[in-house]
């Protein structure tokens, strides 16, 4: 049975991600783990007392139960779990222990403080996790991913489709656009490679001319009415800089639809698109 891990901090954005995750899990008939990580604060100086670890765990467990009841009144698909630790590390640890198929987290706004806080969690998930992460914007509502945009940085004419993208598109019978934003193409130029492979027959490849990658991707997402955007963040010399200056981080804070971050290992597990040049648009 498929499994989905929904990480929550009980915020409005997390509630929206939980609702999205619930609908997504139902659509693929998956079990849900609803998770929150907590930290035990140090006692205040001079007071000599501290909240017990047990009390914090029980409070967190109670809030998780209330959250589970709010998103699934029947309570048939959700198992609640809480654990002490740093958010990103705790999510990765549980995902590995439970062998989950997807991690789902919410995204709050686009302020600098939010970027700093969320960026550390997203970095941990993208770097340390071998599980696809679905990042749900605060205002995004669930709809079946009938149109998927996979942002590729491939420099070859025939590009690739990660297996996870192919599995999602096959399940939902989705149209997949494999998109590369280029800065050296003439204005208005794009080309499309239709794939004749039956396992990925709804996929095509496009060049999008734009000097700003994030702007180009967002414009294409809007133009096509995409339901889901997929990216694979690649490692730099210092892995901690992954989200400090990258197209993936820009997209996290600009996209209005769910963003799926695939582990980098999936860049080498793919289906090849066959060459068949043609003009086209979405």
């Amino acid at each position: 049975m498929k499994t989905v891990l929904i990480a929550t901090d009980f915020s409005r954005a997390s509630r929206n991600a939980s609702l999205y995750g619930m609908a997504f899990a139902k659509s693929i008939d998956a079990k849900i783990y609803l998770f929150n990580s907590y930290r035990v604060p140090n006692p205040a100086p001079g007071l000599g007392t501290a909240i017990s670890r047990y009390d914090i765990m029980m409070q967190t467990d109670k809030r998780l139960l209330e959250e589970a009841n709010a998103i699934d009144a029947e309570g048939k698909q959700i198992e609640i779990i809480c654990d002490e630790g740093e958010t990103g590390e705790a999510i990765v640890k549980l995902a590995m222990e439970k062998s989950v198929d997807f991690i789902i987290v919410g995204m709050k706004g686009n302020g600098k403080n939010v970027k700093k806080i969320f960026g550390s969690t997203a970095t941990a998930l993208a770097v340390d996790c071998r599980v696809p992460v679905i990042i749900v914007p605060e205002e995004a509502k669930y709809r079946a991913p009938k149109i998927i945009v996979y942002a590729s940085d491939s420099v070859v004419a025939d590009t690739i489709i990660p297996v996870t993208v192919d599995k999602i598109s096959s399940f939902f019978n989705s149209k997949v656009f494999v998109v590369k934003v280029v800065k050296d193409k003439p204005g208005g130029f794009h080309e499309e490679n239709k794939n004749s492979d039956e396992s990925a027959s709804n996929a095509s490849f496009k060049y999008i001319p734009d000097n700003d990658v994030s702007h180009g991707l967002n414009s294409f997402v809007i133009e096509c009415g995409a339901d889901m955007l997929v990216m694979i963040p690649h490692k730099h010399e210092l892995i901690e800089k992954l989200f400090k200056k990258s197209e993936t981080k820009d997209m996290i804070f600009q996209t209005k639809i769910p963003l799926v971050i695939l582990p980098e290992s999936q860049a080498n597990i793919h289906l090849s698109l066959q060459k068949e040049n043609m003009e086209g648009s979405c």
Side-chain angles (χ1 to χ4, degrees):
M1 183 179 185
K2 296 182 179 66
T3 54
V4 172
L5 169 59
I6 302 174
T8 181
D9 62 2
F10 308 111
S11 65
R12 180 176 180 272
S14 284
R15 169 62 65 85
N16 185 61
S18 295
L19 291 170
Y20 181 98
M22 183 69 202
F24 180 77
K26 281 187 174 181
S27 67
I28 63 174
D29 192 26
K31 176 184 175 64
I32 296 173
Y33 295 108
L34 183 63
F35 175 73
N36 174 264
S37 64
Y38 60 87
R39 299 185 66 184
V40 179
N42 294 323
L47 296 180
T49 60
I51 302 175
S52 73
R53 180 172 280 99
Y54 177 79
D55 287 342
I56 294 177
M57 182 184 69
M58 293 304 295
Q59 291 172 10
T60 304
D61 196 67
K62 180 176 182 293
R63 295 188 71 183
L64 280 171
L65 182 59
E66 292 171 349
E67 185 75 5
N69 289 334
I71 64 174
D72 179 25
E74 296 180 0
K76 295 181 179 180
Q77 284 185 271
I78 299 179
E79 178 180 339
I80 60 173
I81 302 175
C82 63
D83 195 11
E84 182 180 359
E86 295 289 342
T87 302
E89 294 176 358
I91 293 171
V92 170
K93 178 184 175 183
L94 181 62
M96 296 300 99
E97 289 178 352
K98 298 296 186 180
S99 299
V100 303
D101 297 286
F102 294 95
I103 296 171
I104 297 179
V105 295
M107 181 187 69
K108 297 178 283 188
N110 60 0
K112 291 183 178 179
N113 290 334
V114 172
K115 286 187 179 183
K116 182 177 180 181
I117 295 170
F118 183 80
S120 62
T121 299
T123 299
L125 293 178
V127 172
D128 298 329
C129 199
R130 297 186 296 274
V131 178
V133 179
I134 303 177
I135 300 171
V136 184
E138 191 168 7
E139 303 301 329
K141 304 303 178 186
Y142 177 80
R143 59 180 192 252
K146 293 298 184 180
I147 299 178
I148 300 172
V149 172
Y150 166 51
S152 171
D153 62 359
S154 173
V155 296
V156 294
D158 55 334
T159 189
I160 59 177
I161 299 180
V163 167
T164 295
V165 176
D166 184 64
K167 287 182 178 179
I168 294 175
S169 64
S170 296
F171 187 89
F172 291 99
N173 192 29
S174 311
K175 171 67 177 179
V176 178
F177 289 103
V178 184
V179 174
K180 176 173 173 58
V181 179
V182 291
K183 301 179 181 181
D184 56 353
K185 294 287 184 181
F189 173 85
H190 69 268
E191 67 182 56
E192 179 176 314
N193 294 335
K194 292 285 290 186
N195 180 21
S196 59
D197 183 358
E198 183 179 354
S199 64
S201 58
N202 289 330
S204 59
F205 177 71
K206 285 182 175 289
Y207 288 115
I208 305 298
D210 201 305
N211 289 327
D212 184 286
V213 174
S214 297
H215 177 268
L217 283 176
N218 274 313
S219 297
F220 187 78
V221 161
I222 294 170
E223 178 188 350
C224 289
D227 305 301
M228 182 176 283
L229 174 64
V230 182
M231 300 183 77
I232 299 179
H234 295 285
K235 296 179 181 179
H236 300 291
E237 291 183 5
L238 294 177
I239 201 63
E240 292 81 4
K241 293 183 178 180
L242 179 65
F243 283 89
K244 289 184 179 179
K245 188 177 181 181
S246 69
E247 304 299 348
T248 309
K249 185 177 180 180
D250 285 345
M251 291 308 302
I252 287 176
F253 300 109
Q254 291 186 31
T255 183
K256 304 299 182 184
I257 61 173
L259 169 63
V260 182
I261 298 180
L262 300 182
E264 189 175 9
S265 59
Q266 288 218 1
N268 298 317
I269 306 175
H270 60 267
L271 302 171
S272 293
L273 289 180
Q274 300 177 3
K275 293 181 181 178
E276 184 183 341
N277 294 332
M278 61 182 294
E279 294 297 323
S281 64
C282 64

